[in-house]
Amino acid sequence: MVTIVDVAQLAGVSTSTVSHVLNGTRNVEPATRGRVLDAIEKTGYRQDALARALRRSRTDSIGLVVSDAGEPAFAGMVHGVEQGAVDHDLTLVLANSAEDPAREMRAVRALLERRVDGLIIARCAESSPALTRYLDDAATPVVLLDRLADNSPFDQVGADNRESMRRLATHLHSSGHRRIAVLAGDTRVPTLRERLEGFFDAMPSEGLRDQAILEGHDDAELRSALIGHLRGGAYTCVIACSTPLAVTALESMRDAGLRVPEDLAFATYDGFTHSDLFSPTITTVRQPAFEMGTAAVKLLIDRSASPQSSPRTMRLRQTVELRTSTEEHRIQVG
Amino acid sequence: MVTIVDVAQLAGVSTSTVSHVLNGTRNVEPATRGRVLDAIEKTGYRQDALARALRRSRTDSIGLVVSDAGEPAFAGMVHGVEQGAVDHDLTLVLANSAEDPAREMRAVRALLERRVDGLIIARCAESSPALTRYLDDAATPVVLLDRLADNSPFDQVGADNRESMRRLATHLHSSGHRRIAVLAGDTRVPTLRERLEGFFDAMPSEGLRDQAILEGHDDAELRSALIGHLRGGAYTCVIACSTPLAVTALESMRDAGLRVPEDLAFATYDGFTHSDLFSPTITTVRQPAFEMGTAAVKLLIDRSASPQSSPRTMRLRQTVELRTSTEEHRIQVG
DNA sequence: CTGTTAGCGCTTTCAC
DNA sequence: GTGAAAGCGCTAACAG
């Protein structure tokens, strides 16, 4: 391997001069500079980021831990974080906790040992409290992504889940839906809890007991619960609070012989790509996943600039995309 | 920051003993070992991966450069590579070239400077020859992913594009389709070129001139070319060679008022997730993206084990999933 | 079974 | 404008 020493020798200068040429950290006589550049060229020298990082105590890298790399929404965030990293000349170290708290802990540990300059984390559903303590102790700036906490000591960026659900549910209610089944999923996940809260916000309290709220993390249970509720024909609309839940809902409805939107209206969060090309097209609340990723990196950068400022929470606005699955003319007002 | 020295002092041993306890690299008397472990516990010591890597000349990390982090197929590969990395106790450094050769070059450089132990790369469409030379020189093992080269000096893993297209086209031909429009896209990309070759393989040579082969990287041009071809009603089937091309095709057909499968059969590569839930369901050749990712990591590991063995090419089998978009009974045999 | 010590390749005072 | 030299935190001979 060719090191800075080789370059220095060939150029007939000291290693410190080479270093300063490399980094532009002090004035170097043009002639000297030229010789150094030549020597770099000739030797094919490449800076060693490891040694540099060790010496400078910064790696110019950030870590990202996502809870489910397989989900399109998280893939979008990964994409956004990568873009944010490139924009700030950082490299990205990626880990996937796969919704496993132990694996999440290992990932965070590994990233911290690699001395990432910042850590972005979409915590998993049953993230251990030990992780919180661990992060508190770490000197590294942390940004929470997507799954936010109240009173978080960290910066965080997510979506306006509660507000967007309020908009969606209000729209459905004003379209005449009086009995809605909400596939809320695992409400230990803040994102899903917030969406459910938004639904409660929107429903007039006297009508609340007519709604079916299906919570839980067991897919088979959710499925049978949903089918059970829909059998009687009492509900006119189903809302799924995430893409996996939408799959559960659509499959359940299909298995029960219920068509969207003829028999039931349907709306989902996150949804499916290119929904417009297929039938039925699905009313969807879309998360700005990519933008959440870039915003997370920005929060990290800002934090480094002012380490003492109080933690910020960013909520990016989601858009309710109305499509045929909730088309008004098909609703039977009860 | 608490270092190995602090631990050694507290435990009353030398740093080398601490190091050996940490790494299990030599026998340590249980009592000594216990004191060291205690000291580690008390001080909250964490190994510094940077210093360790610098000393050992290995980082236990691998780099991945994908050409389009936004594409689901690549997201799947990222997911697979991450899993492969975890399985081998490696961390993953991710970069996205976004189909930009300059950015690709920068990414590779950055990863090499970070001294990743291996590099997995899905090269972009117009990847510069300079990159090839650069990689040749690098001592780091390289695995090409998805977009393969003939006579590559590197290990590589992709899909059986040519064979799977042969299977698909043969099926369509034997279903009665005699005039097929193939949206081949940018055939500078090996993956797309291989798919097109498979189509040529499958078509009887005397019928070849009846087929429409639409190549190019300009979406608007492809779109108008396709519509032009379809207007006359001469073609009974469209094949799209990637998801973006499928979007182009479906939009074009919709705009031209042509329905799938009533007016035209349609099949695509990669396709859409959960296609079974929507109508029409689309006949799809599915890429085992996740498995390609894990396989790439495995090739990297194998390469480290036997650096001198000759380069291997792996082609993972794609499955042709037949659905309603190509249903036989709708075809008018010409 | 344990300790001493020489670096890994680089940045950055400090001195000239 | 330039150089000498002290480490960053760790591992692994080498020596006992």
Side-chain angles (χ1 to χ4, degrees):
Chain A
M1 188 179 181
V2 26
T3 77
I4 204 173
V5 177
D6 303 317
V7 174
Q9 268 166 3
L10 185 58
V13 298
S14 73
T15 58
S16 73
T17 297
V18 177
S19 172
H20 283 120
V21 168
L22 244 22
N23 301 305
T25 34
R26 82 179 174 196
N27 269 346
V28 174
E29 183 134 340
T32 318
R33 195 185 143 72
R35 294 211 314 284
V36 171
L37 261 17
D38 278 358
I40 288 174
E41 175 73 19
K42 279 208 183 60
T43 53
Y45 168 79
R46 302 260 93 228
Q47 211 163 12
D48 183 325
L50 238 43
R52 183 177 152 84
L54 180 60
R55 185 56 236 247
R56 302 184 47 199
S57 286
R58 55 198 305 264
T59 54
D60 297 317
S61 69
I62 58 176
L64 170 62
V65 184
V66 295
S67 49
D68 190 349
E71 264 321 299
F74 285 112
M77 295 179 216
V78 171
H79 188 191
V81 171
E82 201 281 338
Q83 183 60 53
V86 170
D87 291 343
H88 293 92
D89 275 311
L90 300 166
T91 54
L92 171 64
V93 187
L94 175 68
N96 174 25
S97 66
E99 297 287 10
D100 172 354
R103 187 165 162 179
E104 181 179 48
M105 190 74 188
R106 277 199 301 279
V108 169
R109 235 197 272 279
L111 293 175
L112 257 24
E113 287 181 0
R114 288 213 132 64
R115 300 241 230 145
V116 291
D117 296 337
L119 191 55
I120 299 173
I121 172 168
R123 298 184 64 168
C124 64
E126 300 191 79
S127 186
S128 78
L131 179 65
T132 311
R133 287 196 300 275
Y134 192 69
L135 291 176
D136 278 334
D137 290 349
T140 313
V142 171
V143 170
L144 264 30
L145 179 62
D146 182 56
R147 300 178 172 185
L148 311 191
D150 297 333
N151 307 320
S152 165
F154 307 115
D155 293 313
Q156 41 185 11
V157 52
D160 67 335
N161 296 301
R162 189 162 177 167
E163 291 68 25
S164 57
M165 176 60 103
R166 224 180 272 156
R167 291 197 294 275
L168 173 65
T170 301
H171 169 80
L172 293 171
H173 187 266
S174 69
S175 302
H177 292 286
R178 289 296 171 270
R179 303 203 65 185
I180 299 177
V182 181
L183 211 51
D186 186 348
T187 46
R188 291 170 308 183
V189 176
T191 313
L192 295 174
R193 189 170 51 241
E194 290 159 9
R195 289 172 186 172
L196 182 55
E197 283 164 357
F199 182 76
F200 290 145
D201 291 346
M203 285 292 125
S205 52
E206 70 277 13
L208 219 43
R209 64 169 193 289
D210 291 338
Q211 318 304 321
I213 309 299
L214 307 173
E215 297 180 63
H217 56 279
D218 183 300
D219 186 63
E221 282 178 21
L222 285 175
R223 210 171 278 257
S224 62
L226 180 61
I227 292 180
H229 276 87
L230 297 183
R231 270 209 202 296
Y235 297 91
T236 60
C237 181
V238 173
I239 301 177
C241 290
S242 72
T243 299
L245 292 169
V247 173
T248 300
L250 289 168
E251 287 178 352
S252 302
M253 292 188 281
R254 184 188 57 194
D255 295 350
L258 297 165
R259 293 157 307 163
V260 172
E262 292 84 345
D263 303 318
L264 270 172
F266 179 70
T268 184
Y269 268 76
D270 298 349
F272 306 89
T273 54
H274 307 294
S275 177
D276 283 324
L277 294 171
F278 303 100
S279 151
T281 64
I282 305 288
T283 290
T284 301
V285 185
R286 189 79 60 183
Q287 211 170 148
F290 183 91
E291 289 73 14
M292 284 165 60
T294 53
V297 177
K298 185 153 186 335
L299 284 179
L300 226 39
I301 302 291
D302 291 352
R303 173 63 45 195
S304 308
S306 55
Q308 296 310 327
S309 59
S310 54
R312 288 200 289 164
T313 294
M314 275 182 77
R315 295 257 181 198
L316 269 49
R317 187 179 165 86
Q318 291 171 296
T319 48
V320 180
E321 304 170 352
L322 296 176
R323 297 207 179 78
T324 52
S325 69
T326 57
E327 260 185 9
E328 284 205 42
H329 68 270
R330 304 193 184 263
I331 293 161
Q332 304 169 315
V333 177
Chain B
M1 188 182 183
V2 27
T3 77
I4 204 172
V5 178
D6 303 317
V7 174
Q9 270 165 1
L10 185 59
V13 298
S14 74
T15 59
S16 74
T17 297
V18 177
S19 172
H20 284 118
V21 168
L22 244 25
N23 300 306
T25 34
R26 82 179 175 196
N27 270 346
V28 175
E29 183 134 341
T32 318
R33 195 185 142 74
R35 294 212 314 282
V36 171
L37 259 17
D38 279 357
I40 288 174
E41 176 73 18
K42 281 209 181 60
T43 53
Y45 168 80
R46 302 260 92 228
Q47 211 164 12
D48 183 325
L50 238 44
R52 183 177 151 85
L54 180 60
R55 184 56 235 246
R56 301 183 50 203
S57 286
R58 55 199 305 267
T59 54
D60 297 318
S61 69
I62 58 175
L64 170 62
V65 185
V66 295
S67 48
D68 189 349
E71 265 319 301
F74 285 112
M77 293 181 217
V78 171
H79 188 191
V81 170
E82 201 282 337
Q83 184 60 54
V86 170
D87 291 343
H88 293 93
D89 275 312
L90 300 166
T91 54
L92 172 63
V93 188
L94 176 67
N96 175 24
S97 66
E99 297 286 11
D100 172 354
R103 188 165 160 180
E104 180 180 48
M105 191 72 186
R106 277 199 302 277
V108 168
R109 235 196 272 279
L111 292 176
L112 256 24
E113 287 181 0
R114 288 213 133 63
R115 298 241 231 145
V116 291
D117 296 337
L119 192 55
I120 299 173
I121 171 168
R123 298 183 64 169
C124 64
E126 299 191 79
S127 186
S128 79
L131 179 64
T132 311
R133 287 196 300 277
Y134 191 69
L135 291 175
D136 278 335
D137 290 349
T140 312
V142 171
V143 169
L144 264 31
L145 178 62
D146 182 56
R147 301 179 172 185
L148 310 191
D150 297 333
N151 307 321
S152 165
F154 307 116
D155 292 314
Q156 40 186 11
V157 53
D160 66 336
N161 296 301
R162 189 160 178 170
E163 290 70 25
S164 58
M165 175 60 103
R166 224 180 272 156
R167 292 197 293 275
L168 173 65
T170 301
H171 168 80
L172 293 170
H173 187 266
S174 68
S175 302
H177 292 286
R178 288 296 171 271
R179 303 204 65 185
I180 300 175
V182 181
L183 211 51
D186 186 349
T187 47
R188 291 172 308 185
V189 176
T191 312
L192 295 173
R193 187 169 54 240
E194 290 159 9
R195 290 172 185 173
L196 182 54
E197 283 164 358
F199 182 77
F200 290 145
D201 291 347
M203 285 290 126
S205 51
E206 70 276 11
L208 219 44
R209 65 169 194 289
D210 291 338
Q211 318 304 321
I213 309 299
L214 307 173
E215 297 179 64
H217 56 277
D218 183 300
D219 187 63
E221 282 178 23
L222 284 176
R223 208 170 279 257
S224 62
L226 180 62
I227 291 180
H229 277 87
L230 297 183
R231 272 210 200 295
Y235 296 92
T236 60
C237 181
V238 173
I239 301 177
C241 290
S242 73
T243 299
L245 292 168
V247 173
T248 300
L250 289 168
E251 287 179 353
S252 301
M253 292 188 283
R254 184 189 56 194
D255 295 350
L258 296 165
R259 294 157 307 162
V260 172
E262 292 84 346
D263 302 318
L264 269 172
F266 178 68
T268 183
Y269 267 76
D270 299 350
F272 306 89
T273 53
H274 308 293
S275 177
D276 283 325
L277 294 171
F278 303 100
S279 149
T281 63
I282 305 287
T283 290
T284 301
V285 184
R286 188 79 60 182
Q287 211 169 149
F290 183 91
E291 289 75 15
M292 284 165 61
T294 53
V297 177
K298 183 149 188 337
L299 283 180
L300 226 39
I301 301 292
D302 291 353
R303 172 63 45 198
S304 308
S306 55
Q308 296 310 325
S309 58
S310 54
R312 289 199 288 163
T313 293
M314 275 181 75
R315 295 256 182 199
L316 269 49
R317 187 178 164 88
Q318 290 171 297
T319 48
V320 180
E321 304 170 351
L322 296 176
R323 297 206 180 77
T324 52
S325 70
T326 58
E327 259 184 11
E328 284 206 41
H329 68 270
R330 304 192 185 264
I331 293 160
Q332 305 169 314
V333 177

